[in-house]
Amino acid sequence: MSKFKKKQDEGTPAISTASLPDIVFMLLFFFMVVTVMRDTSLKVKNVLPYADQVEKLEKKDLVMYIYAGKPSPRYQQQFGTEARVQLNDNYARISDIQQFIFQERESKREELVPALITALKVDKETNMGLVSDIKQELRKAEALKINYTTREGDANLNME
């Protein structure tokens, strides 16, 4: 009769799951903060032309996007095959562009309004007349900072 008994070998101890909920919620919070949600869903065909002298915009929150192109196949039966303008998630008329610019300016802080840039994402097969009409409306709205969004590459590829 000994006072001390040898401990029986019980195998490896079980993994503690007490901190598992904390880890799961930490990962969930991380992915909620880091994930970028898509701002708009494109309803127009948008194959951008190539350009060889491209610069990246630094502050994308100061950019207002105007999309132009033929309706995507999903919307062609409803809207036809003529090139159209898309502002945010909806098709729009050329005359709606001024109102769109004014609404975007209202949603920004006053000191950021002079730095706002209008980015035209125009399909490479879109008629230049539509682009010219868009630019005329932008002039009327005094949105004179215009950026043409393109893909980086040789400009001669646009001829194909």
Side-chain angles (χ1 to χ4, degrees), residues 110-128:
E110 190 175 331
E111 63 270 7
L112 297 178
V113 171
L116 286 175
I117 299 171
T118 305
L120 298 179
K121 287 192 168 188
V122 181
D123 183 57
K124 70 179 184 177
E125 295 177 7
T126 301
N127 187 347
M128 195 60 196

Side-chain angles (χ1 to χ4, degrees), residues 21-60:
D22 293 336
I23 294 170
V24 169
F25 284 116
M26 191 174 12
L27 286 172
L28 178 66
F29 182 72
F30 172 77
F31 286 116
M32 285 173 50
V33 170
V34 173
T35 303
V36 176
M37 302 302 272
R38 178 177 275 179
D39 291 334
T40 58
S41 57
L42 284 179
K43 294 182 178 181
V44 295
K45 183 179 169 190
N46 200 256
V47 179
L48 298 174
Y50 289 100
D52 52 7
Q53 297 179 5
V54 179
E55 291 182 32
K56 269 199 164 186
L57 291 175
E58 296 299 320
K59 296 184 178 180
K60 294 202 178 201

